[in-house]
Amino acid sequence: MAAGAGSLVAAVLANSGRLDKEDLGTRIGRLSRRVEELKGEVCTMITKKYSEFLPGMQSAEELVARVDGLCRSIDLLRAGVENEVQRDLNVAVAEFSELKQQLEQDTLVLSILKKLQEFDTALKEYNTALLEKRYIEAAQQLEKARSSLKMLESRKGFELKILKALSTELTVQTQNMLYHLGEEWQKLAVWKLPPSKETIGPESVIHSELHLCTLPSKEEEIAGPPVASVLQAFAVLGELRTKLKTFGKLLLKYILKPLISYPFLQPFIEEQSDVVILKFRSEKPDLDHSSPAEVFDKIKFILEVLHKYLLSKLSLPFGLSLNKKECRVTLAELLGDMIWEELSDCLIQNCLVNSIPSNSSKLEQYIEVIKSTEEFEKALKKMKFLKGDATDLLKYARNVNSHFANKKCQDVIVAARNLMTSEIHDTVKITPDSCVTLPKLPDPGSGDHVKMQKTSKHLPNKMVHLENDSKLSKYTFSLPTCRISASVEKLMELAYQTLLETTASTDQCCIQLFYSVRNIFQLFYDVVPTYHKENLQKLPQLAAIHHNNCMYIAHHLLTMGHQFQYRLTNILCDGAATFVDLVPGFRRLGMECFLAQMRVQKGEILERLSSARNFSNMDDEENYSAANKAIRQVLHQLKRLGKVWQDVLPVNVYCKAMGTLLNTALSEIITRIAALEDISAEDADRLYSLCRIMVEEGPQVFTPLPEEEENKKYQEEVPVYVQKWMTFKELMIILQANLQEIVDQWADGKGPLAAEFSPAEVKSLIRALFQNTDRRAAALAKIK
């Protein structure tokens, strides 16, 4: 405030130059009064604030004094608790812990004594019930005793020596109980089995019997139903599954499986006063395998007998032995769970498999098998042997198309393999008119041929005819006349029949069968050369037959796929239905085998000619005799081969083969004679006579046909098949000619001699045949 007044005064003084003295005094007075007013207001405000603050301060001071008093009281109380109460509390807690421990020990001893009492009571009641043949109650008392013993054994840190004795006693009483139950069980179901347990055959199985007790004794009538009490007691003790499992194994081994495997077995029952005997009798079956319906009837008969006399006595609550949750399960259901899997497998493998048709036309008849399977399962479900909707047995029966395809494919492959491993030498004659015997294929209904016919109807009448008037022979693309193995002809018929089967099959079956046919030929490619390897190497005739077999198969593979192209499933119609890719392999297979045999024959020819002593020094009788013998052996070999391959190989193949072998012999003879350095006149005459033998008798090996007259044209065409034939004849001319005749035959390199021999070869022969004279020199000069 003072600062404000000062500033005001300063302002006034600053303007004093312009104000007069009177105005200045007036303003200073007003300012002084204003300053006094402001001082009064400030004092009033300070007094008011102090009067409000003073009571609060006094209250706070009083509160602090009270807090200090309480703190002193708390300190005194804490000191009292720590010094007196804590000591008394520790003593109380120790006493409480000791009393609690003592209480727990007393409670444990009391519970153990109670369980021992329960164990003792249960065993006493068990003994009483067992003597009175109240088996269910006896078994329940044993379970109570076992429960009490388990409770005692679970007490950790509290072991009693008596527990071991109690456990032993419980085990003894349990085994005693099981023994008595076993005795009762043996009375209910008695097995009389064949003496031999090593092998189960039809002769021994027919003596198997099962005796089922139907009437209880008087004592048992009083005690209650024997079957119910015995089986319930087994269930309480947890041994029912074991007993039924053993019973099920015997039932499968000696009754159910034999009925499935042996169609001559017929079950029947023999009823007596207190027992029903299940037996077998032998009847001669009409077929090797029983139909599924017959087998199902036999199995149902057995299970109905068991259900009536043994398994339908009661339904058991297996809560004590099988599951903590109480559930009611029939004995039939329990036995069915144990034997069904093995029984259904046996029915599939030994019954349904045999009923799968081998021909697609019989698939409709298989519906009866499916119906009988459904009825069989319904009957078993009615007797509680089965539960659930679908089983493997019914699934197998319904999936007939897949099983038919698998069986058909397997049968086809087995039949094909049997044909491949049969003898090759059993042959049939194939002519251009021969064809595989097949039913007429159905009209495809569509295809290129049909489309072409439809299109041709719309051609203009004045269309120019461009087709060549000359027609190909119908035998142009036919296989030439030859002999093939009868097994291969049957193999091809099998392939065609299988493909024909695909035309009436489902898509999946069609595909499987088609590729099975391909597998036939792939199997042939692998099996035949391996299985018949030794014979194909040793026997020329079999090598020729195998060659024909391969060519015959390749010939049919060219068109086999096309014949069925529009009659197979759409998947195969798109170009997959072909066998053409197998053709080169079969042609190569046949050629390699025959060429291998040709190499063997060539080797024998060369080996025989190697004993001719190089055709040198023919004036020596031994040398001449050896050479003559070698040539005779070669001719004999060729004639023997001709007889072996006669009427087997196609004529053109036969002539080429024999021509190649004869050419080998002639080439070897020419080479050896041309290599001689000195040939006397006598040697030349004898060499000529040996060559004449080859020329005269060589053509006689060309006998491809059995009829001698028809072979003459092939014998006259020897130069066509024997490359060195004319060379050999020219060699004979040289051996008998003089120098001038040789020069004339050469004719300045344009004669027949020049066509067969080189100048060096002719000069070498001249030097060997003639002495060194001017005439020889002149002749040699002209050979160039």
Side-chain angles (χ1 to χ4, degrees):
M1 232 16 185
S7 62
L8 182 60
V9 172
V12 172
L13 290 177
N15 296 321
S16 62
R18 291 177 292 177
L19 297 175
D20 55 13
K21 295 180 179 179
E22 190 174 336
D23 291 335
L24 180 64
T26 303
R27 290 188 178 187
I28 292 172
R30 282 200 299 268
L31 290 172
S32 299
R33 288 192 297 272
R34 182 61 180 162
V35 168
E36 293 297 331
E37 289 176 0
L38 291 172
K39 286 182 179 179
E41 291 177 359
V42 169
C43 290
T44 303
M45 290 176 62
I46 292 172
T47 303
K48 183 178 180 180
K49 292 292 182 181
Y50 180 77
S51 62
E52 291 177 357
F53 170 74
L54 186 61
M57 181 179 176
Q58 291 174 350
S59 298
E61 289 176 350
E62 292 176 359
L63 183 61
V64 170
R66 290 176 61 187
V67 169
D68 291 339
L70 287 175
C71 288
R72 286 191 297 271
S73 299
I74 289 172
D75 291 339
L76 292 174
L77 183 60
R78 181 186 294 111
V81 170
E82 290 177 353
N83 294 331
E84 297 178 6
V85 176
Q86 184 67 40
R87 183 177 64 253
D88 296 339
L89 183 61
N90 291 336
V91 173
V93 169
E95 291 178 355
F96 177 76
S97 299
E98 184 178 352
L99 290 173
K100 181 182 178 182
Q101 184 177 2
Q102 186 65 37
L103 179 61
E104 289 176 352
Q105 290 179 354
D106 293 344
T107 304
L108 179 60
V109 171
L110 182 61
S111 65
I112 290 174
L113 292 175
K114 186 177 179 181
K115 291 298 178 183
L116 287 173
Q117 182 185 12
E118 291 177 359
F119 182 87
D120 182 66
T121 303
L123 283 185
K124 288 180 180 178
E125 293 181 359
Y126 152 76
N127 287 319
T128 302
L130 183 61
L131 291 174
E132 297 175 359
K133 294 189 176 182
R134 290 183 282 114
Y135 296 123
I136 299 176
E137 184 179 349
Q140 291 173 344
Q141 293 302 324
L142 273 182
E143 286 302 304
K144 287 182 180 179
R146 181 173 287 104
S147 177
S148 299
L149 184 60
K150 285 183 179 179
M151 184 67 71
L152 291 172
E153 291 175 344
S154 66
R155 301 293 184 181
K156 301 296 182 182
F158 196 89
E159 289 82 8
L160 293 176
K161 294 182 179 180
I162 194 175
L163 293 183
K164 186 174 182 181
L166 294 180
S167 177
T168 303
E169 178 65 17
L170 182 62
T171 302
V172 170
Q173 295 303 327
T174 301
Q175 294 301 319
N176 183 39
M177 177 74 178
L178 291 175
Y179 172 78
H180 282 83
L181 291 176
E183 292 290 325
E184 296 295 340
W185 173 259
Q186 289 180 1
K187 295 176 183 178
L188 298 175
V190 181
W191 287 95
K192 290 190 177 180
L193 303 176
S196 176
K197 296 182 180 180
E198 296 179 357
T199 57
I200 305 300
E203 295 79 9
S204 59
V205 167
I206 200 169
H207 300 294
S208 302
E209 294 181 4
L210 175 59
H211 295 230
L212 300 175
C213 181
T214 57
L215 295 177
S217 62
K218 294 182 180 180
E219 296 178 356
E220 292 169 340
E221 288 178 352
I222 297 173
V227 175
S229 61
V230 171
L231 296 179
Q232 181 69 62
F234 272 127
V236 173
L237 294 176
E239 293 293 327
L240 183 60
R241 281 189 176 275
T242 304
K243 284 295 178 184
L244 284 182
K245 188 174 182 180
T246 303
F247 180 82
K249 286 183 177 179
L250 294 173
L251 184 67
L252 283 170
K253 184 176 182 180
Y254 291 99
I255 293 182
L256 297 180
K257 285 187 176 180
L259 283 176
I260 299 171
S261 302
Y262 307 125
F264 63 86
L265 288 179
Q266 291 294 333
F268 70 99
I269 59 172
E270 180 181 321
E271 296 187 11
Q272 297 181 2
S273 58
D274 59 348
V275 69
V276 170
I277 304 175
L278 189 59
K279 294 183 175 182
F280 290 127
R281 61 170 172 260
S282 178
E283 294 182 1
K284 188 175 181 180
D286 297 331
L287 301 172
D288 295 336
H289 302 284
S290 298
S291 66
E294 293 174 348
V295 174
F296 293 156
D297 288 341
K298 295 177 183 178
I299 301 298
K300 280 193 293 185
F301 175 77
I302 297 297
L303 297 181
E304 285 171 355
V305 172
L306 291 176
H307 188 267
K308 179 179 179 181
Y309 295 103
L310 182 64
L311 303 177
S312 62
K313 300 297 182 181
L314 76 168
S315 62
L316 300 173
F318 291 113
L320 295 176
S321 58
L322 301 179
N323 205 322
K324 290 184 178 180
K325 295 182 179 180
E326 184 76 12
C327 59
R328 305 196 69 83
V329 181
T330 63
L331 288 174
E333 186 176 346
L334 187 59
L335 180 62
D337 288 340
M338 294 177 179
I339 69 172
W340 175 247
E341 183 177 356
E342 191 172 351
L343 177 61
S344 61
D345 288 343
C346 186
L347 284 169
I348 290 172
Q349 299 300 327
N350 298 301
C351 180
L352 290 183
V353 167
N354 299 324
S355 66
I356 299 296
S358 57
N359 194 297
S360 58
S361 61
K362 298 180 181 179
L363 280 175
E364 294 182 0
Q365 302 175 7
Y366 194 80
I367 296 176
E368 298 298 326
V369 175
I370 298 176
K371 289 181 179 179
S372 62
T373 306
E374 292 175 347
E375 292 173 358
F376 173 67
E377 291 198 355
K378 286 180 182 178
L380 264 59
K381 289 176 183 177
K382 186 177 181 181
M383 292 185 287
K384 305 298 183 183
F385 278 99
L386 274 183
K387 57 183 179 180
D389 298 330
T391 66
D392 292 340
L393 184 68
L394 188 56
K395 288 178 182 177
Y396 185 92
R398 287 173 176 170
N399 197 15
V400 61
N401 288 324
S402 175
H403 300 315
F404 162 73
N406 294 335
K407 181 180 180 182
K408 183 68 178 178
C409 294
Q410 183 179 0
D411 292 345
V412 166
I413 294 298
V414 170
R417 185 175 180 84
N418 291 335
L419 290 172
M420 295 172 198
T421 54
S422 60
E423 295 296 337
I424 298 179
H425 58 73
D426 183 13
T427 62
V428 293
K429 194 167 187 177
I430 297 296
T431 65
D433 294 320
S434 301
C435 62
V436 178
T437 305
L438 274 179
K440 185 178 180 181
L441 289 173
D443 185 6
S446 64
D448 295 340
H449 180 63
V450 178
K451 292 178 182 178
M452 288 174 63
Q453 287 181 343
K454 292 180 179 179
T455 305
S456 63
K457 292 180 180 179
H458 302 287
L459 294 176
N461 296 329
K462 296 182 179 180
M463 180 68 71
V464 178
H465 184 68
L466 299 178
E467 185 179 359
N468 194 343
D469 293 334
S470 60
K471 301 290 185 180
L472 290 175
S473 169
K474 66 177 182 178
Y475 301 124
T476 301
F477 297 105
S478 297
L479 197 70
T481 302
C482 62
R483 284 193 171 272
I484 64 169
S485 299
S487 59
V488 170
E489 185 181 42
K490 294 177 182 177
L491 183 70
M492 193 54 62
E493 289 179 1
L494 175 66
Y496 274 103
Q497 290 288 353
T498 306
L499 287 176
L500 187 62
E501 191 84 28
T502 63
T503 61
S505 303
T506 61
D507 289 353
Q508 181 61 34
C509 182
C510 176
I511 295 172
Q512 284 185 257
L513 289 176
F514 174 80
Y515 283 102
S516 290
V517 176
R518 283 185 61 93
N519 290 339
I520 288 176
F521 299 114
Q522 291 170 349
L523 189 67
F524 183 96
Y525 193 91
D526 296 329
V527 169
V528 173
T530 303
Y531 186 83
H532 300 283
K533 181 178 180 180
E534 186 176 352
N535 288 334
L536 293 177
Q537 291 175 348
K538 291 182 179 180
L539 303 176
Q541 184 183 36
L542 294 191
I545 295 173
H546 178 63
H547 166 270
N548 295 346
N549 291 343
C550 294
M551 296 302 169
Y552 175 78
I553 293 174
H555 177 74
H556 280 277
L557 291 179
L558 284 171
T559 57
M560 180 179 285
H562 179 74
Q563 295 177 55
F564 293 88
Q565 182 177 2
Y566 299 108
R567 298 172 179 87
L568 302 177
T569 179
N570 293 333
I571 300 175
L572 295 176
C573 285
D574 296 336
T578 182
F579 297 89
V580 177
D581 57 308
L582 301 177
V583 172
F586 271 90
R587 288 177 175 172
R588 183 171 57 253
L589 182 66
M591 288 300 299
E592 287 176 353
C593 176
F594 190 68
L595 290 177
Q597 186 59 230
M598 288 287 289
R599 287 191 292 270
V600 171
Q601 299 300 324
K602 284 182 179 181
E604 292 182 4
I605 289 173
L606 296 177
E607 184 180 358
R608 288 185 168 91
L609 290 177
S610 65
S611 63
R613 301 184 182 182
N614 293 327
F615 294 94
S616 62
N617 301 326
M618 288 293 101
D619 54 349
D620 187 342
E621 288 297 330
E622 290 184 3
N623 290 350
Y624 177 75
S625 177
N628 184 55
K629 181 180 179 182
I631 288 178
R632 292 292 181 184
Q633 287 178 341
V634 168
L635 290 171
H636 176 73
Q637 176 186 344
L638 293 175
K639 289 178 181 178
R640 179 173 55 83
L641 273 178
K643 292 295 182 183
V644 169
W645 288 344
Q646 185 184 75
D647 199 36
V648 173
L649 288 170
V651 172
N652 62 326
V653 177
Y654 174 94
C655 292
K656 289 179 181 179
M658 296 304 298
T660 301
L661 294 177
L662 181 57
N663 188 72
T664 299
L666 297 183
S667 297
E668 182 68 11
I669 295 173
I670 292 169
T671 301
R672 290 181 181 273
I673 293 177
L676 295 176
E677 296 179 357
D678 185 20
I679 303 175
S680 65
E682 186 177 356
D683 290 345
D685 291 339
R686 290 199 167 186
L687 287 173
Y688 178 82
S689 64
L690 293 175
C691 293
R692 187 174 58 190
I693 295 173
M694 292 296 296
V695 171
E696 291 176 353
E697 298 187 19
Q700 297 177 12
V701 303
F702 290 90
T703 56
L705 301 175
E707 298 78 9
E708 186 63 32
E709 293 297 326
E710 296 183 6
N711 291 321
K712 288 185 178 180
K713 64 177 180 178
Y714 303 108
Q715 295 172 359
E716 293 170 356
E717 296 175 354
V718 172
V720 177
Y721 306 110
V722 184
Q723 184 180 359
K724 293 292 184 178
W725 184 258
M726 298 308 298
T727 305
F728 193 75
K729 282 196 168 185
E730 288 298 322
L731 176 63
M732 291 177 63
I733 292 173
I734 292 176
L735 290 174
Q736 291 293 298
N738 54 36
L739 284 171
Q740 185 58 44
E741 290 174 345
I742 294 175
V743 172
D744 293 341
Q745 284 291 107
W746 183 259
D748 294 330
K750 298 178 182 179
L753 183 59
E756 306 299 334
F757 287 96
S758 66
E761 290 173 334
V762 175
K763 289 180 179 180
S764 177
L765 285 171
I766 291 174
R767 291 190 184 99
L769 288 168
F770 301 97
Q771 294 180 355
N772 188 6
T773 62
D774 294 338
R775 292 182 59 195
R776 190 183 81 168
L780 290 174
K782 295 179 180 179
I783 305 299
K784 57 183 178 179

